[in-house]
Amino acid sequence: EVYHSEASQVLEMRPDPSSALLPKLGVGLLDWSVNDKFILTRNDNMPHTLWVWNMRLLSLNSIIKHNGSIRCAKWDPLRQRLMLCTGRDKLYMWSQEGCSIINVPLDNFKIRSFAWSPSGNCLMLMDKKYFCCCYINDPDLGEENDDRSDILADQKSETEKQIDENTTMPRRIISDPAPSKAEVKMSEQDQ
């Protein structure tokens, strides 16, 4: 249950009809959820508001309001959650369980857009000039469901094979290519 202490108002931007520029009006952002239960929309003359519709009940499910204009919003390709950005250094995640904020710890990096990986475990975040990868730790998924664990095991075994063929080299194996989780293992020869 959600309790509201005061009435909430959705801000609407009214275009100036005398302006030479054509105003943005109507639905400018639309995306289906993974199992077609939800659809998200953003009306261009209400850029601070995201509407989440339940298509099975043909009703409004949620309204997500932000202080800044919502630049990009997309559903996770495998789960019932969506991400959105407002041109700041934060990602906002929504699911029926609640909302979360993900801080991006890069100086002067403002997220303008993003793209989900097919597995839903990673996002490519795009700034005006730069991009970065954001890995999402999902406690509901164990390591056995992580596709990267199979890839890492294959890379490790190939690296070990190469080292075994040339035993005169110092033997160090980096088990995970992700810099934040890199582990260095030393062989008996180095110890």
Side-chain angles (χ1 to χ4, degrees):
E1 293 181 304
V2 178
Y3 297 96
H4 299 282
S5 60
E6 59 185 64
S8 184
Q9 184 177 9
V10 175
L11 299 176
E12 181 178 2
M13 299 174 81
R14 302 235 177 214
D16 181 8
S18 64
S19 173
L21 300 174
L22 294 174
K24 288 187 171 187
L25 297 172
V27 176
L29 187 60
L30 175 99
D31 197 23
W32 283 96
S33 67
V34 66
N35 66 356
D36 302 331
K37 181 177 181 182
F38 297 110
I39 202 169
L40 67 83
T41 61
R42 185 204 62 214
N43 188 334
D44 280 342
N45 58 320
M46 296 181 219
H48 300 260
T49 308
L50 195 70
W51 308 76
V52 180
W53 302 91
N54 185 324
M55 297 310 290
R56 293 184 183 159
L57 300 176
L58 298 176
S59 65
L60 181 63
N61 186 79
S62 299
I63 296 175
I64 304 168
K65 291 176 29 176
H66 280 271
N67 291 333
S69 295
I70 297 168
R71 299 186 63 111
C72 182
K74 296 179 183 177
W75 289 98
D76 183 317
L78 299 178
R79 297 168 200 74
Q80 288 293 343
R81 64 181 176 187
L82 68 89
M83 288 285 188
L84 61 107
C85 67
T86 60
R88 297 179 59 198
D89 61 346
K90 295 171 178 34
L91 278 172
Y92 302 93
M93 183 170 61
W94 176 91
S95 70
Q96 288 189 288
E97 289 78 36
C99 298
S100 299
I101 298 173
I102 300 171
N103 291 311
V104 178
L106 298 172
D107 292 336
N108 299 318
F109 190 86
K110 307 297 181 207
I111 306 164
R112 299 168 61 94
S113 183
F114 61 87
W116 282 99
S117 68
S119 69
N121 292 332
C122 181
L123 289 158
M124 182 67 66
L125 309 178
M126 290 162 269
D127 182 84
K128 188 173 184 178
K129 294 182 181 180
Y130 306 103
F131 68 93
C132 72
C133 290
C134 174
Y135 290 95
I136 300 169
N137 292 331
D138 193 340
D140 295 334
L141 297 176
E143 193 171 324
E144 66 277 357
N145 292 332
D146 186 4
D147 292 334
R148 291 191 330 126
S149 64
D150 293 336
I151 294 167
L152 296 174
D154 291 342
Q155 288 175 345
K156 180 179 174 184
S157 61
E158 287 299 315
T159 306
E160 286 176 338
K161 287 176 189 174
Q162 291 171 358
I163 289 173
D164 287 338
E165 290 173 5
N166 187 357
T167 56
T168 58
M169 297 176 47
R171 302 201 302 171
R172 296 174 191 258
I173 299 169
I174 298 175
S175 64
D176 187 342
S180 62
K181 296 182 179 179
E183 293 179 15
V184 177
K185 296 185 179 179
M186 299 180 75
S187 69
E188 293 175 11
Q189 184 181 20
D190 291 338
Q191 294 176 353

PDB file of all heavy atoms in Angstrom, residues 110-147:
ATOM      1  N   LYS A 110      27.980  12.375 -17.237  1.00  0.00           N
ATOM      2  CA  LYS A 110      26.532  12.579 -17.195  1.00  0.00           C
ATOM      3  C   LYS A 110      25.880  11.600 -18.162  1.00  0.00           C
ATOM      4  O   LYS A 110      26.129  11.643 -19.369  1.00  0.00           O
ATOM      5  CB  LYS A 110      26.158  14.014 -17.591  1.00  0.00           C
ATOM      6  CG  LYS A 110      26.887  15.081 -16.799  1.00  0.00           C
ATOM      7  CD  LYS A 110      26.538  15.019 -15.330  1.00  0.00           C
ATOM      8  CE  LYS A 110      27.259  16.121 -14.564  1.00  0.00           C
ATOM      9  NZ  LYS A 110      27.498  15.802 -13.201  1.00  0.00           N
ATOM     10  N   ILE A 111      25.047  10.721 -17.651  1.00  0.00           N
ATOM     11  CA  ILE A 111      24.448   9.666 -18.466  1.00  0.00           C
ATOM     12  C   ILE A 111      23.359  10.264 -19.354  1.00  0.00           C
ATOM     13  O   ILE A 111      22.350  10.752 -18.880  1.00  0.00           O
ATOM     14  CB  ILE A 111      23.862   8.555 -17.583  1.00  0.00           C
ATOM     15  CG1 ILE A 111      24.923   8.034 -16.619  1.00  0.00           C
ATOM     16  CG2 ILE A 111      23.302   7.428 -18.441  1.00  0.00           C
ATOM     17  CD1 ILE A 111      24.367   7.236 -15.480  1.00  0.00           C
ATOM     18  N   ARG A 112      23.593  10.208 -20.663  1.00  0.00           N
ATOM     19  CA  ARG A 112      22.630  10.726 -21.634  1.00  0.00           C
ATOM     20  C   ARG A 112      21.782   9.605 -22.214  1.00  0.00           C
ATOM     21  O   ARG A 112      20.646   9.819 -22.618  1.00  0.00           O
ATOM     22  CB  ARG A 112      23.358  11.447 -22.752  1.00  0.00           C
ATOM     23  CG  ARG A 112      24.165  12.641 -22.263  1.00  0.00           C
ATOM     24  CD  ARG A 112      25.106  13.180 -23.316  1.00  0.00           C
ATOM     25  NE  ARG A 112      24.468  13.649 -24.520  1.00  0.00           N
ATOM     26  CZ  ARG A 112      24.124  14.910 -24.740  1.00  0.00           C
ATOM     27  NH1 ARG A 112      24.340  15.802 -23.817  1.00  0.00           N
ATOM     28  NH2 ARG A 112      23.563  15.257 -25.867  1.00  0.00           N
ATOM     29  N   SER A 113      22.362   8.418 -22.278  1.00  0.00           N
ATOM     30  CA  SER A 113      21.668   7.265 -22.841  1.00  0.00           C
ATOM     31  C   SER A 113      22.354   6.005 -22.337  1.00  0.00           C
ATOM     32  O   SER A 113      23.440   6.074 -21.756  1.00  0.00           O
ATOM     33  CB  SER A 113      21.733   7.321 -24.371  1.00  0.00           C
ATOM     34  OG  SER A 113      21.014   6.255 -24.935  1.00  0.00           O
ATOM     35  N   PHE A 114      21.739   4.857 -22.563  1.00  0.00           N
ATOM     36  CA  PHE A 114      22.341   3.592 -22.169  1.00  0.00           C
ATOM     37  C   PHE A 114      21.742   2.474 -23.002  1.00  0.00           C
ATOM     38  O   PHE A 114      20.724   2.659 -23.672  1.00  0.00           O
ATOM     39  CB  PHE A 114      22.158   3.310 -20.668  1.00  0.00           C
ATOM     40  CG  PHE A 114      20.726   3.217 -20.232  1.00  0.00           C
ATOM     41  CD1 PHE A 114      20.029   2.027 -20.289  1.00  0.00           C
ATOM     42  CD2 PHE A 114      20.067   4.341 -19.752  1.00  0.00           C
ATOM     43  CE1 PHE A 114      18.712   1.946 -19.889  1.00  0.00           C
ATOM     44  CE2 PHE A 114      18.753   4.277 -19.347  1.00  0.00           C
ATOM     45  CZ  PHE A 114      18.069   3.077 -19.417  1.00  0.00           C
ATOM     46  N   ALA A 115      22.410   1.325 -22.962  1.00  0.00           N
ATOM     47  CA  ALA A 115      21.929   0.131 -23.665  1.00  0.00           C
ATOM     48  C   ALA A 115      22.155  -1.080 -22.773  1.00  0.00           C
ATOM     49  O   ALA A 115      23.219  -1.209 -22.165  1.00  0.00           O
ATOM     50  CB  ALA A 115      22.658  -0.042 -24.992  1.00  0.00           C
ATOM     51  N   TRP A 116      21.154  -1.935 -22.673  1.00  0.00           N
ATOM     52  CA  TRP A 116      21.261  -3.178 -21.904  1.00  0.00           C
ATOM     53  C   TRP A 116      22.063  -4.208 -22.686  1.00  0.00           C
ATOM     54  O   TRP A 116      21.961  -4.289 -23.915  1.00  0.00           O
ATOM     55  CB  TRP A 116      19.883  -3.778 -21.657  1.00  0.00           C
ATOM     56  CG  TRP A 116      19.074  -3.144 -20.581  1.00  0.00           C
ATOM     57  CD1 TRP A 116      18.078  -2.233 -20.738  1.00  0.00           C
ATOM     58  CD2 TRP A 116      19.163  -3.395 -19.178  1.00  0.00           C
ATOM     59  NE1 TRP A 116      17.552  -1.894 -19.517  1.00  0.00           N
ATOM     60  CE2 TRP A 116      18.190  -2.598 -18.546  1.00  0.00           C
ATOM     61  CE3 TRP A 116      19.980  -4.213 -18.393  1.00  0.00           C
ATOM     62  CZ2 TRP A 116      18.017  -2.591 -17.176  1.00  0.00           C
ATOM     63  CZ3 TRP A 116      19.794  -4.207 -17.032  1.00  0.00           C
ATOM     64  CH2 TRP A 116      18.832  -3.409 -16.433  1.00  0.00           C
ATOM     65  N   SER A 117      22.815  -5.041 -21.993  1.00  0.00           N
ATOM     66  CA  SER A 117      23.410  -6.218 -22.628  1.00  0.00           C
ATOM     67  C   SER A 117      22.296  -7.254 -22.773  1.00  0.00           C
ATOM     68  O   SER A 117      21.290  -7.193 -22.061  1.00  0.00           O
ATOM     69  CB  SER A 117      24.548  -6.777 -21.774  1.00  0.00           C
ATOM     70  OG  SER A 117      24.043  -7.334 -20.575  1.00  0.00           O
ATOM     71  N   PRO A 118      22.428  -8.217 -23.674  1.00  0.00           N
ATOM     72  CA  PRO A 118      21.383  -9.229 -23.829  1.00  0.00           C
ATOM     73  C   PRO A 118      21.101 -10.040 -22.555  1.00  0.00           C
ATOM     74  O   PRO A 118      19.986 -10.487 -22.332  1.00  0.00           O
ATOM     75  CB  PRO A 118      21.915 -10.139 -24.937  1.00  0.00           C
ATOM     76  CG  PRO A 118      22.852  -9.281 -25.707  1.00  0.00           C
ATOM     77  CD  PRO A 118      23.472  -8.350 -24.696  1.00  0.00           C
ATOM     78  N   SER A 119      22.116 -10.189 -21.670  1.00  0.00           N
ATOM     79  CA  SER A 119      21.928 -10.958 -20.441  1.00  0.00           C
ATOM     80  C   SER A 119      21.229 -10.163 -19.347  1.00  0.00           C
ATOM     81  O   SER A 119      20.770 -10.727 -18.365  1.00  0.00           O
ATOM     82  CB  SER A 119      23.285 -11.440 -19.905  1.00  0.00           C
ATOM     83  OG  SER A 119      24.028 -10.329 -19.439  1.00  0.00           O
ATOM     84  N   GLY A 120      21.178  -8.840 -19.484  1.00  0.00           N
ATOM     85  CA  GLY A 120      20.566  -8.004 -18.463  1.00  0.00           C
ATOM     86  C   GLY A 120      21.460  -7.771 -17.255  1.00  0.00           C
ATOM     87  O   GLY A 120      21.030  -7.168 -16.283  1.00  0.00           O
ATOM     88  N   ASN A 121      22.707  -8.228 -17.288  1.00  0.00           N
ATOM     89  CA  ASN A 121      23.631  -8.048 -16.167  1.00  0.00           C
ATOM     90  C   ASN A 121      24.542  -6.850 -16.331  1.00  0.00           C
ATOM     91  O   ASN A 121      25.316  -6.536 -15.435  1.00  0.00           O
ATOM     92  CB  ASN A 121      24.498  -9.297 -15.985  1.00  0.00           C
ATOM     93  CG  ASN A 121      23.689 -10.475 -15.528  1.00  0.00           C
ATOM     94  OD1 ASN A 121      22.668 -10.318 -14.884  1.00  0.00           O
ATOM     95  ND2 ASN A 121      24.114 -11.666 -15.891  1.00  0.00           N
ATOM     96  N   CYS A 122      24.484  -6.186 -17.481  1.00  0.00           N
ATOM     97  CA  CYS A 122      25.408  -5.097 -17.765  1.00  0.00           C
ATOM     98  C   CYS A 122      24.704  -4.030 -18.590  1.00  0.00           C
ATOM     99  O   CYS A 122      23.838  -4.327 -19.398  1.00  0.00           O
ATOM    100  CB  CYS A 122      26.611  -5.651 -18.529  1.00  0.00           C
ATOM    101  SG  CYS A 122      27.863  -4.430 -18.917  1.00  0.00           S
ATOM    102  N   LEU A 123      25.112  -2.790 -18.343  1.00  0.00           N
ATOM    103  CA  LEU A 123      24.613  -1.655 -19.119  1.00  0.00           C
ATOM    104  C   LEU A 123      25.798  -0.906 -19.710  1.00  0.00           C
ATOM    105  O   LEU A 123      26.818  -0.736 -19.045  1.00  0.00           O
ATOM    106  CB  LEU A 123      23.838  -0.683 -18.222  1.00  0.00           C
ATOM    107  CG  LEU A 123      22.487  -1.127 -17.717  1.00  0.00           C
ATOM    108  CD1 LEU A 123      22.106  -0.344 -16.477  1.00  0.00           C
ATOM    109  CD2 LEU A 123      21.447  -0.955 -18.783  1.00  0.00           C
ATOM    110  N   MET A 124      25.667  -0.447 -20.934  1.00  0.00           N
ATOM    111  CA  MET A 124      26.636   0.452 -21.538  1.00  0.00           C
ATOM    112  C   MET A 124      26.077   1.855 -21.341  1.00  0.00           C
ATOM    113  O   MET A 124      25.013   2.179 -21.865  1.00  0.00           O
ATOM    114  CB  MET A 124      26.799   0.145 -23.027  1.00  0.00           C
ATOM    115  CG  MET A 124      27.817   1.010 -23.720  1.00  0.00           C
ATOM    116  SD  MET A 124      29.492   0.702 -23.171  1.00  0.00           S
ATOM    117  CE  MET A 124      29.750  -0.954 -23.755  1.00  0.00           C
ATOM    118  N   LEU A 125      26.777   2.666 -20.539  1.00  0.00           N
ATOM    119  CA  LEU A 125      26.334   4.025 -20.236  1.00  0.00           C
ATOM    120  C   LEU A 125      27.043   4.990 -21.176  1.00  0.00           C
ATOM    121  O   LEU A 125      28.252   4.886 -21.372  1.00  0.00           O
ATOM    122  CB  LEU A 125      26.659   4.380 -18.788  1.00  0.00           C
ATOM    123  CG  LEU A 125      26.200   3.395 -17.721  1.00  0.00           C
ATOM    124  CD1 LEU A 125      26.631   3.872 -16.343  1.00  0.00           C
ATOM    125  CD2 LEU A 125      24.704   3.196 -17.782  1.00  0.00           C
ATOM    126  N   MET A 126      26.293   5.944 -21.737  1.00  0.00           N
ATOM    127  CA  MET A 126      26.867   6.867 -22.702  1.00  0.00           C
ATOM    128  C   MET A 126      26.737   8.311 -22.244  1.00  0.00           C
ATOM    129  O   MET A 126      25.661   8.751 -21.876  1.00  0.00           O
ATOM    130  CB  MET A 126      26.204   6.660 -24.057  1.00  0.00           C
ATOM    131  CG  MET A 126      26.585   5.338 -24.687  1.00  0.00           C
ATOM    132  SD  MET A 126      25.488   4.814 -25.997  1.00  0.00           S
ATOM    133  CE  MET A 126      24.305   3.853 -25.075  1.00  0.00           C
ATOM    134  N   ASP A 127      27.873   8.996 -22.249  1.00  0.00           N
ATOM    135  CA  ASP A 127      27.982  10.417 -21.972  1.00  0.00           C
ATOM    136  C   ASP A 127      28.068  11.117 -23.338  1.00  0.00           C
ATOM    137  O   ASP A 127      27.990  10.454 -24.384  1.00  0.00           O
ATOM    138  CB  ASP A 127      29.273  10.630 -21.157  1.00  0.00           C
ATOM    139  CG  ASP A 127      29.509  12.057 -20.738  1.00  0.00           C
ATOM    140  OD1 ASP A 127      28.951  12.450 -19.705  1.00  0.00           O
ATOM    141  OD2 ASP A 127      30.250  12.756 -21.432  1.00  0.00           O
ATOM    142  N   LYS A 128      28.250  12.412 -23.346  1.00  0.00           N
ATOM    143  CA  LYS A 128      28.390  13.121 -24.619  1.00  0.00           C
ATOM    144  C   LYS A 128      29.643  12.675 -25.374  1.00  0.00           C
ATOM    145  O   LYS A 128      29.620  12.504 -26.587  1.00  0.00           O
ATOM    146  CB  LYS A 128      28.436  14.626 -24.365  1.00  0.00           C
ATOM    147  CG  LYS A 128      28.380  15.455 -25.611  1.00  0.00           C
ATOM    148  CD  LYS A 128      28.265  16.925 -25.285  1.00  0.00           C
ATOM    149  CE  LYS A 128      28.099  17.741 -26.550  1.00  0.00           C
ATOM    150  NZ  LYS A 128      27.934  19.162 -26.243  1.00  0.00           N
ATOM    151  N   LYS A 129      30.753  12.456 -24.640  1.00  0.00           N
ATOM    152  CA  LYS A 129      32.017  12.077 -25.269  1.00  0.00           C
ATOM    153  C   LYS A 129      32.488  10.673 -24.917  1.00  0.00           C
ATOM    154  O   LYS A 129      33.287  10.094 -25.633  1.00  0.00           O
ATOM    155  CB  LYS A 129      33.119  13.049 -24.849  1.00  0.00           C
ATOM    156  CG  LYS A 129      32.949  14.440 -25.341  1.00  0.00           C
ATOM    157  CD  LYS A 129      34.136  15.281 -24.881  1.00  0.00           C
ATOM    158  CE  LYS A 129      34.012  16.713 -25.341  1.00  0.00           C
ATOM    159  NZ  LYS A 129      35.157  17.518 -24.887  1.00  0.00           N
ATOM    160  N   TYR A 130      32.054  10.142 -23.773  1.00  0.00           N
ATOM    161  CA  TYR A 130      32.607   8.896 -23.255  1.00  0.00           C
ATOM    162  C   TYR A 130      31.513   7.862 -23.031  1.00  0.00           C
ATOM    163  O   TYR A 130      30.335   8.160 -23.082  1.00  0.00           O
ATOM    164  CB  TYR A 130      33.328   9.157 -21.922  1.00  0.00           C
ATOM    165  CG  TYR A 130      34.370  10.227 -22.020  1.00  0.00           C
ATOM    166  CD1 TYR A 130      34.134  11.508 -21.527  1.00  0.00           C
ATOM    167  CD2 TYR A 130      35.592   9.977 -22.615  1.00  0.00           C
ATOM    168  CE1 TYR A 130      35.090  12.509 -21.629  1.00  0.00           C
ATOM    169  CE2 TYR A 130      36.558  10.965 -22.722  1.00  0.00           C
ATOM    170  CZ  TYR A 130      36.293  12.222 -22.227  1.00  0.00           C
ATOM    171  OH  TYR A 130      37.240  13.193 -22.335  1.00  0.00           O
ATOM    172  N   PHE A 131      31.942   6.647 -22.754  1.00  0.00           N
ATOM    173  CA  PHE A 131      31.024   5.583 -22.348  1.00  0.00           C
ATOM    174  C   PHE A 131      31.706   4.746 -21.279  1.00  0.00           C
ATOM    175  O   PHE A 131      32.914   4.799 -21.106  1.00  0.00           O
ATOM    176  CB  PHE A 131      30.609   4.706 -23.530  1.00  0.00           C
ATOM    177  CG  PHE A 131      31.711   3.866 -24.096  1.00  0.00           C
ATOM    178  CD1 PHE A 131      31.890   2.570 -23.652  1.00  0.00           C
ATOM    179  CD2 PHE A 131      32.578   4.360 -25.046  1.00  0.00           C
ATOM    180  CE1 PHE A 131      32.914   1.776 -24.151  1.00  0.00           C
ATOM    181  CE2 PHE A 131      33.598   3.587 -25.543  1.00  0.00           C
ATOM    182  CZ  PHE A 131      33.765   2.295 -25.098  1.00  0.00           C
ATOM    183  N   CYS A 132      30.914   3.981 -20.536  1.00  0.00           N
ATOM    184  CA  CYS A 132      31.462   3.049 -19.556  1.00  0.00           C
ATOM    185  C   CYS A 132      30.481   1.891 -19.385  1.00  0.00           C
ATOM    186  O   CYS A 132      29.321   1.979 -19.786  1.00  0.00           O
ATOM    187  CB  CYS A 132      31.750   3.727 -18.218  1.00  0.00           C
ATOM    188  SG  CYS A 132      30.304   4.152 -17.262  1.00  0.00           S
ATOM    189  N   CYS A 133      30.971   0.796 -18.805  1.00  0.00           N
ATOM    190  CA  CYS A 133      30.128  -0.364 -18.537  1.00  0.00           C
ATOM    191  C   CYS A 133      29.739  -0.380 -17.068  1.00  0.00           C
ATOM    192  O   CYS A 133      30.554  -0.083 -16.207  1.00  0.00           O
ATOM    193  CB  CYS A 133      30.872  -1.661 -18.854  1.00  0.00           C
ATOM    194  SG  CYS A 133      31.137  -1.896 -20.607  1.00  0.00           S
ATOM    195  N   CYS A 134      28.523  -0.729 -16.809  1.00  0.00           N
ATOM    196  CA  CYS A 134      28.004  -0.822 -15.449  1.00  0.00           C
ATOM    197  C   CYS A 134      27.515  -2.250 -15.242  1.00  0.00           C
ATOM    198  O   CYS A 134      26.563  -2.682 -15.902  1.00  0.00           O
ATOM    199  CB  CYS A 134      26.863   0.178 -15.272  1.00  0.00           C
ATOM    200  SG  CYS A 134      25.997   0.065 -13.709  1.00  0.00           S
ATOM    201  N   TYR A 135      28.190  -3.003 -14.369  1.00  0.00           N
ATOM    202  CA  TYR A 135      27.775  -4.367 -14.058  1.00  0.00           C
ATOM    203  C   TYR A 135      26.832  -4.335 -12.864  1.00  0.00           C
ATOM    204  O   TYR A 135      27.109  -3.686 -11.866  1.00  0.00           O
ATOM    205  CB  TYR A 135      28.984  -5.254 -13.751  1.00  0.00           C
ATOM    206  CG  TYR A 135      29.806  -5.529 -14.971  1.00  0.00           C
ATOM    207  CD1 TYR A 135      30.915  -4.743 -15.275  1.00  0.00           C
ATOM    208  CD2 TYR A 135      29.468  -6.537 -15.845  1.00  0.00           C
ATOM    209  CE1 TYR A 135      31.663  -4.969 -16.414  1.00  0.00           C
ATOM    210  CE2 TYR A 135      30.207  -6.772 -16.983  1.00  0.00           C
ATOM    211  CZ  TYR A 135      31.302  -5.988 -17.263  1.00  0.00           C
ATOM    212  OH  TYR A 135      32.023  -6.221 -18.398  1.00  0.00           O
ATOM    213  N   ILE A 136      25.734  -5.051 -12.983  1.00  0.00           N
ATOM    214  CA  ILE A 136      24.719  -5.060 -11.940  1.00  0.00           C
ATOM    215  C   ILE A 136      24.787  -6.385 -11.202  1.00  0.00           C
ATOM    216  O   ILE A 136      24.664  -7.452 -11.810  1.00  0.00           O
ATOM    217  CB  ILE A 136      23.323  -4.858 -12.541  1.00  0.00           C
ATOM    218  CG1 ILE A 136      23.277  -3.527 -13.272  1.00  0.00           C
ATOM    219  CG2 ILE A 136      22.255  -4.926 -11.467  1.00  0.00           C
ATOM    220  CD1 ILE A 136      22.056  -3.335 -14.110  1.00  0.00           C
ATOM    221  N   ASN A 137      25.012  -6.312  -9.893  1.00  0.00           N
ATOM    222  CA  ASN A 137      25.010  -7.519  -9.068  1.00  0.00           C
ATOM    223  C   ASN A 137      23.575  -7.816  -8.676  1.00  0.00           C
ATOM    224  O   ASN A 137      22.918  -7.000  -8.048  1.00  0.00           O
ATOM    225  CB  ASN A 137      25.847  -7.320  -7.806  1.00  0.00           C
ATOM    226  CG  ASN A 137      27.307  -7.182  -8.134  1.00  0.00           C
ATOM    227  OD1 ASN A 137      27.776  -7.723  -9.117  1.00  0.00           O
ATOM    228  ND2 ASN A 137      28.022  -6.438  -7.322  1.00  0.00           N
ATOM    229  N   ASP A 138      23.094  -8.975  -9.045  1.00  0.00           N
ATOM    230  CA  ASP A 138      21.730  -9.372  -8.722  1.00  0.00           C
ATOM    231  C   ASP A 138      21.790 -10.512  -7.720  1.00  0.00           C
ATOM    232  O   ASP A 138      22.185 -11.618  -8.071  1.00  0.00           O
ATOM    233  CB  ASP A 138      20.994  -9.809  -9.992  1.00  0.00           C
ATOM    234  CG  ASP A 138      19.506  -9.931  -9.788  1.00  0.00           C
ATOM    235  OD1 ASP A 138      19.063 -10.050  -8.621  1.00  0.00           O
ATOM    236  OD2 ASP A 138      18.775  -9.900 -10.781  1.00  0.00           O
ATOM    237  N   PRO A 139      21.417 -10.265  -6.459  1.00  0.00           N
ATOM    238  CA  PRO A 139      21.518 -11.311  -5.443  1.00  0.00           C
ATOM    239  C   PRO A 139      20.610 -12.502  -5.710  1.00  0.00           C
ATOM    240  O   PRO A 139      20.836 -13.586  -5.210  1.00  0.00           O
ATOM    241  CB  PRO A 139      21.121 -10.600  -4.145  1.00  0.00           C
ATOM    242  CG  PRO A 139      20.391  -9.391  -4.558  1.00  0.00           C
ATOM    243  CD  PRO A 139      20.880  -9.022  -5.924  1.00  0.00           C
ATOM    244  N   ASP A 140      19.584 -12.321  -6.555  1.00  0.00           N
ATOM    245  CA  ASP A 140      18.669 -13.429  -6.857  1.00  0.00           C
ATOM    246  C   ASP A 140      19.295 -14.441  -7.806  1.00  0.00           C
ATOM    247  O   ASP A 140      18.842 -15.568  -7.904  1.00  0.00           O
ATOM    248  CB  ASP A 140      17.373 -12.900  -7.476  1.00  0.00           C
ATOM    249  CG  ASP A 140      16.594 -12.035  -6.501  1.00  0.00           C
ATOM    250  OD1 ASP A 140      16.753 -12.239  -5.279  1.00  0.00           O
ATOM    251  OD2 ASP A 140      15.845 -11.161  -6.956  1.00  0.00           O
ATOM    252  N   LEU A 141      20.338 -14.027  -8.523  1.00  0.00           N
ATOM    253  CA  LEU A 141      20.987 -14.931  -9.461  1.00  0.00           C
ATOM    254  C   LEU A 141      22.287 -15.430  -8.860  1.00  0.00           C
ATOM    255  O   LEU A 141      23.133 -14.654  -8.482  1.00  0.00           O
ATOM    256  CB  LEU A 141      21.289 -14.218 -10.779  1.00  0.00           C
ATOM    257  CG  LEU A 141      20.079 -13.716 -11.563  1.00  0.00           C
ATOM    258  CD1 LEU A 141      20.548 -12.951 -12.777  1.00  0.00           C
ATOM    259  CD2 LEU A 141      19.184 -14.857 -11.950  1.00  0.00           C
ATOM    260  N   GLY A 142      22.446 -16.712  -8.800  1.00  0.00           N
ATOM    261  CA  GLY A 142      23.680 -17.287  -8.280  1.00  0.00           C
ATOM    262  C   GLY A 142      24.739 -17.309  -9.352  1.00  0.00           C
ATOM    263  O   GLY A 142      24.504 -16.974 -10.508  1.00  0.00           O
ATOM    264  N   GLU A 143      25.938 -17.729  -8.974  1.00  0.00           N
ATOM    265  CA  GLU A 143      27.043 -17.778  -9.929  1.00  0.00           C
ATOM    266  C   GLU A 143      26.769 -18.781 -11.041  1.00  0.00           C
ATOM    267  O   GLU A 143      27.233 -18.627 -12.157  1.00  0.00           O
ATOM    268  CB  GLU A 143      28.335 -18.152  -9.202  1.00  0.00           C
ATOM    269  CG  GLU A 143      29.556 -17.919 -10.048  1.00  0.00           C
ATOM    270  CD  GLU A 143      30.822 -18.091  -9.258  1.00  0.00           C
ATOM    271  OE1 GLU A 143      30.852 -17.726  -8.079  1.00  0.00           O
ATOM    272  OE2 GLU A 143      31.787 -18.606  -9.850  1.00  0.00           O
ATOM    273  N   GLU A 144      25.951 -19.795 -10.766  1.00  0.00           N
ATOM    274  CA  GLU A 144      25.662 -20.775 -11.803  1.00  0.00           C
ATOM    275  C   GLU A 144      24.843 -20.176 -12.934  1.00  0.00           C
ATOM    276  O   GLU A 144      24.840 -20.678 -14.043  1.00  0.00           O
ATOM    277  CB  GLU A 144      24.933 -22.001 -11.219  1.00  0.00           C
ATOM    278  CG  GLU A 144      23.524 -21.716 -10.671  1.00  0.00           C
ATOM    279  CD  GLU A 144      23.519 -21.173  -9.245  1.00  0.00           C
ATOM    280  OE1 GLU A 144      24.582 -21.051  -8.644  1.00  0.00           O
ATOM    281  OE2 GLU A 144      22.432 -20.865  -8.748  1.00  0.00           O
ATOM    282  N   ASN A 145      24.145 -19.065 -12.680  1.00  0.00           N
ATOM    283  CA  ASN A 145      23.373 -18.410 -13.726  1.00  0.00           C
ATOM    284  C   ASN A 145      24.150 -17.302 -14.411  1.00  0.00           C
ATOM    285  O   ASN A 145      23.654 -16.690 -15.336  1.00  0.00           O
ATOM    286  CB  ASN A 145      22.079 -17.818 -13.135  1.00  0.00           C
ATOM    287  CG  ASN A 145      21.124 -18.897 -12.694  1.00  0.00           C
ATOM    288  OD1 ASN A 145      21.143 -19.985 -13.236  1.00  0.00           O
ATOM    289  ND2 ASN A 145      20.302 -18.590 -11.726  1.00  0.00           N
ATOM    290  N   ASP A 146      25.339 -17.035 -13.972  1.00  0.00           N
ATOM    291  CA  ASP A 146      26.135 -15.960 -14.548  1.00  0.00           C
ATOM    292  C   ASP A 146      26.895 -16.490 -15.758  1.00  0.00           C
ATOM    293  O   ASP A 146      27.785 -17.321 -15.637  1.00  0.00           O
ATOM    294  CB  ASP A 146      27.115 -15.436 -13.493  1.00  0.00           C
ATOM    295  CG  ASP A 146      27.880 -14.222 -13.963  1.00  0.00           C
ATOM    296  OD1 ASP A 146      27.596 -13.735 -15.078  1.00  0.00           O
ATOM    297  OD2 ASP A 146      28.761 -13.767 -13.217  1.00  0.00           O
ATOM    298  N   ASP A 147      26.530 -16.016 -16.941  1.00  0.00           N
ATOM    299  CA  ASP A 147      27.186 -16.460 -18.170  1.00  0.00           C
ATOM    300  C   ASP A 147      28.668 -16.141 -18.157  1.00  0.00           C
ATOM    301  O   ASP A 147      29.469 -16.841 -18.749  1.00  0.00           O
ATOM    302  CB  ASP A 147      26.534 -15.807 -19.394  1.00  0.00           C
ATOM    303  CG  ASP A 147      25.121 -16.304 -19.614  1.00  0.00           C
ATOM    304  OD1 ASP A 147      24.833 -17.427 -19.178  1.00  0.00           O
ATOM    305  OD2 ASP A 147      24.320 -15.571 -20.220  1.00  0.00           O
TER     306      ASP A 147
END
